[in-house]
Amino acid sequence: MYDVIVVGARCAGSPAAMLLARAGYRVLLLDKARFPRDTLSTHYIHQPGVAKLGQWGVLDDVVATGCPPIDRIVYQVEDVRLEGCSWGVDGHRTAYAPRRHRLDPVLAAAATAAGAEFREGCQVEGLLFDGDRVAGVRCTTSNGRFEERARLVIGADGMRSTVASLTGAPTTVEDDRRSCVYFSYWEDLPATFEVYARPHRLVGTVPTNDGRTLVGAYFPQSEFDRIRGDAMTAYLESVRTTAPEVHERLRAARRAERLYGTGDQRNFFRQAAGPGWVLLGDSGYHKDSIGNSGITDAFLQVQMLVDHIGDGLRDEAGLDLALGRFGRDRDEHFLGLYHGTLKAAGLEIQPERVTMLRAIAGRQDLVDTYFATLSGACEIDDFYTDELFDALALV
Ligand SMILES: Cc1cc2nc3c(=O)[nH]c(=O)nc-3n(C[C@H](O)[C@H](O)[C@H](O)COP(=O)(O)OP(=O)(O)OC[C@H]3O[C@@H](n4cnc5c(N)ncnc54)[C@H](O)[C@@H]3O)c2cc1C
């Protein structure tokens, strides 16, 4: 009998397994994949996420994968250009964008180092129940089937969560898909984290491992069926027309990988928890990838959950209360970000936003504060101060 079984061993599952094992619980971590294994992502970890890695003692191992430090952001909307850096969190002002086949094994290794048992190549296909309480999992591997029991099953198994569908976790918030995205990796492309936006288009660059820079292009979901027919042409055309300076740099660069993409950018919250189960990361709350925040959000949720559970995991009634509190905190903390992400994913350029960006463009302190609202290092209310309104009045 385990205290916890964690299904899914990436950004949500592995840190949860690590922290619960460090807290003295007996933890089994399962993933159907065998690591290292890539997954679709543009990799950017905001300062609050980097701070969590630092607090957990795994940041050095992530940095040791060779992902370059990112401490300058370029953000261009129409003719307005901002350059700066988010505020830091706990002294961490540098962001990182590690490839997922590098990051996720580091997180899983930290979980096993903490004492969690990790089984790869194990697909959870069923749940065990004691009455209406989830009491374990049923798994399939290449060698056959097995069952394991636990007081708590954590579904950290991504957007298409098996645990969510087996528990029947209802969707509590749901919105239409807004965007689709295509990206590839380029060598010899000097870049920092750069974002260029115009109506219905957004292009970004993200420096990552092995001297490669990711170049991505977002399009409206309404164009997905047309674009997917010849995605490479649409991708290069969008870079040329949305970020001409990046397109110019591509001339001296070499595309090192194929084009990746997805239109399956779902937007939802599911009920976070029930008797003996809880959803963590993308399984419980998923939004368009345009805000680059799923990894950071997963880390923050992990800490939230583990703090709520504390030393009460073996007390059934106390555990259920803790899971309920986690669900309420999760929704309260992330609902604003969710709606902000949906707005950004609409790829509209609101004139009042351009006016605001133009007003702060010459003010480095306001630019950095603005980037801090995007990273989550600063509350939005702390940005809309008298100082900002004074700057706006000058435009
Ligand atoms: C195109 C794109 C770009 C993105 N860019 C960024 C970005 O720049 N920054 C950022 O922060 N976020 C980004 N994200 C979001 C980020 O990738 C996710 O939010 C993050 O991966 C969520 O982590 P997770 O651990 O919840 O789920 P996942 O990463 O989906 O991991 C789930 C794991 O569960 C395992 N699993 C699933 N089902 C089972 C089962 N039945 N049994 C056993 N194991 C199972 C899977 O094998 C997988 O390893 C992006 C996403 C996309 C699609």
Side-chain angles (χ1 to χ4, degrees):
M1 170 98 175
Y2 292 89
D3 290 308
V4 190
I5 294 175
V6 185
V7 185
R10 294 192 190 264
C11 306
S14 284
M18 174 188 75
L19 293 183
L20 291 167
R22 283 182 188 170
Y25 294 118
R26 194 163 171 240
V27 181
L28 175 62
L29 177 62
L30 302 169
D31 204 296
K32 65 181 179 186
R34 290 191 178 280
F35 286 8
R37 172 87 174 267
D38 217 353
T39 187
L40 275 192
S41 182
T42 52
H43 325 303
Y44 192 76
I45 306 178
H46 293 280
Q47 282 74 5
V50 173
K52 277 282 157 266
L53 292 171
Q55 191 183 323
W56 297 337
V58 289
L59 180 59
D60 288 349
D61 288 343
V62 172
V63 173
T65 67
C67 53
I70 302 173
D71 44 26
R72 192 171 69 92
I73 303 175
V74 173
Y75 183 35
Q76 177 134 3
V77 182
E78 297 184 338
D79 62 328
V80 183
R81 187 181 180 92
L82 308 182
E83 290 194 32
C85 185
S86 163
W87 297 356
V89 175
D90 293 347
H92 295 281
R93 201 168 179 199
T94 300
Y96 293 93
R99 290 292 292 261
R100 295 296 295 275
H101 60 268
R102 303 293 187 94
L103 171 68
D104 297 341
V106 167
L107 299 176
T112 53
E117 179 185 337
F118 181 29
R119 296 188 208 162
E120 304 173 69
C122 297
Q123 175 145 1
V124 171
E125 290 186 337
L127 295 176
L128 309 177
F129 287 86
D130 283 342
D132 67 350
R133 193 173 190 83
V134 171
V137 297
R138 199 171 283 130
C139 280
T140 304
T141 72
S142 52
N143 295 326
R145 298 184 168 179
F146 67 86
E147 293 181 356
E148 294 291 359
R149 299 183 76 80
R151 296 170 205 278
L152 175 65
V153 172
I154 298 180
D157 50 345
M159 181 176 79
R160 299 174 188 84
S161 170
T162 303
V163 175
S165 62
L166 291 172
T167 54
T171 302
T172 53
V173 175
E174 189 165 18
D175 289 277
D176 292 342
R177 292 168 177 80
R178 297 287 203 271
S179 81
C180 60
V181 58
Y182 284 93
F183 60 92
S184 188
Y185 298 87
W186 297 74
E187 286 177 349
D188 299 320
L189 176 66
T192 183
F193 182 52
E194 301 172 33
V195 178
Y196 302 82
R198 67 180 176 86
H200 311 302
R201 293 290 182 272
L202 183 140
V203 165
T205 62
V206 189
T208 183
N209 298 82
D210 306 315
R212 292 184 179 175
T213 298
L214 180 148
V215 180
Y218 279 84
F219 305 88
Q221 173 76 208
S222 57
E223 294 186 42
F224 182 51
D225 282 342
R226 181 183 64 77
I227 285 169
R228 70 200 302 193
D230 185 1
M232 184 55 89
T233 300
Y235 166 77
L236 290 173
E237 181 61 9
S238 182
V239 177
R240 187 182 70 78
T241 53
T242 313
E245 64 179 270
V246 174
H247 192 260
E248 192 55 36
R249 273 179 267 161
L250 287 187
R251 289 178 194 280
R254 188 185 75 82
R255 184 163 59 82
E257 296 182 35
R258 69 177 178 86
L259 193 62
Y260 304 89
T262 180
D264 197 6
Q265 303 251 66
R266 299 183 206 177
N267 301 299
F268 64 77
F269 280 76
R270 292 185 178 122
Q271 181 179 316
W277 60 272
V278 62
L279 303 177
L280 207 51
D282 277 5
S283 64
Y285 146 56
H286 191 274
K287 71 273 167 209
D288 196 287
S289 65
I290 201 160
N292 310 106
S293 67
I295 301 168
T296 299
D297 290 2
F299 293 168
L300 297 177
Q301 281 181 53
V302 166
Q303 189 68 63
M304 209 180 259
L305 176 68
V306 171
D307 288 348
H308 276 298
I309 292 175
D311 58 6
L313 198 144
R314 293 176 185 136
D315 159 23
E316 205 169 274
L319 174 63
D320 289 351
L321 287 174
L323 298 181
R325 281 196 298 272
F326 162 72
R328 285 190 292 281
D329 270 12
R330 183 202 68 174
D331 292 355
E332 197 179 309
H333 188 91
F334 291 109
L335 207 54
L337 174 68
Y338 172 84
H339 287 300
T341 304
L342 253 64
K343 204 167 173 190
L347 298 173
E348 303 286 351
I349 306 282
Q350 285 97 14
E352 60 277 13
R353 223 174 120 259
V354 178
T355 303
M356 183 273 289
L357 296 174
R358 198 184 306 286
I360 66 170
R363 291 281 309 272
Q364 197 61 52
D365 54 340
L366 292 177
V367 169
D368 289 349
T369 306
Y370 176 69
F371 286 140
T373 66
L374 300 182
S375 76
C378 167
E379 297 286 336
I380 197 80
D381 289 347
D382 295 334
F383 176 61
Y384 283 97
T385 56
D386 291 346
E387 213 179 341
L388 175 69
F389 287 115
D390 288 348
L392 281 169
L394 298 175
V395 180

